[in-house]
Amino acid sequence: MQKLTNKEEEIMHILWKLKKAFVKEVMTEIIDEQPHYNTLSTIIRNLEEKGYVSHNAYGNTHQYFPIVALEEYRKEFMNTAIENYFDNSYKNLVSFFAEEDKISADELREILEIIEKRK
């Protein structure tokens, strides 16, 4: 799975949310600076070349839809992040969030309950 740029990731999140969309519909969902229509169209075509989206053609216009699921991308992204930034250690990942006050003791207890139920 090829790595996405930040802008490509933003567009993918929009397509995952909308399920299928024309370029104009994607454009209306962009919160920050909206790119030019042609620029957005190029980004979406690049996503198609990378194997993340496909399209249905309606004359000269295309309706795009994701062919990589959010869950599949999330799993790949997280595995890469854990490998590259946390020495492939989930303990280091959780410790990082605990040290940054991004996870509470109650949340950690909930995680432990999930782990215990799986045994």
Side-chain angles (χ1 to χ4, degrees):
M1 193 176 295
Q2 278 188 300
K3 182 160 175 41
L4 299 180
T5 66
N6 290 340
K7 189 52 90 174
E8 288 171 337
E9 240 181 57
E10 178 185 358
I11 302 310
M12 281 305 301
H13 281 284
I14 292 169
L15 287 170
W16 284 318
K17 175 184 162 193
L18 298 177
K19 310 268 191 274
K20 57 186 177 178
F22 295 98
V23 174
K24 284 185 178 185
E25 293 170 321
V26 172
M27 181 80 76
T28 62
E29 295 289 321
I30 297 175
I31 297 168
D32 295 332
E33 293 181 39
Q34 289 191 340
H36 188 272
Y37 180 92
N38 291 339
T39 302
L40 179 57
S41 181
T42 298
I43 292 169
I44 294 173
R45 283 195 313 274
N46 287 342
L47 286 166
E48 189 168 26
E49 287 176 20
K50 289 181 176 183
Y52 283 87
V53 301
S54 189
H55 73 271
N56 291 318
Y58 300 97
N60 289 335
T61 189
H62 296 88
Q63 186 179 44
Y64 294 93
F65 55 91
I67 56 175
V68 172
L70 173 60
E71 295 77 20
E72 182 182 349
Y73 183 75
R74 180 184 306 150
K75 184 176 181 180
E76 180 71 25
F77 174 81
M78 288 305 299
N79 287 338
T80 301
I82 291 165
E83 184 179 310
N84 291 338
Y85 298 104
F86 299 100
D87 297 325
N88 219 17
S89 167
Y90 289 87
K91 178 184 168 223
N92 290 347
L93 171 74
V94 174
S95 296
F96 169 80
F97 288 117
E99 290 169 8
E100 294 289 317
D101 274 338
K102 301 291 184 190
I103 192 167
S104 70
D106 286 339
E107 290 169 323
L108 286 172
R109 282 193 266 301
E110 287 177 34
I111 293 169
L112 285 172
E113 285 178 25
I114 293 168
I115 292 169
E116 291 298 324
K117 286 179 184 177
R118 290 187 145 196
K119 289 184 177 178

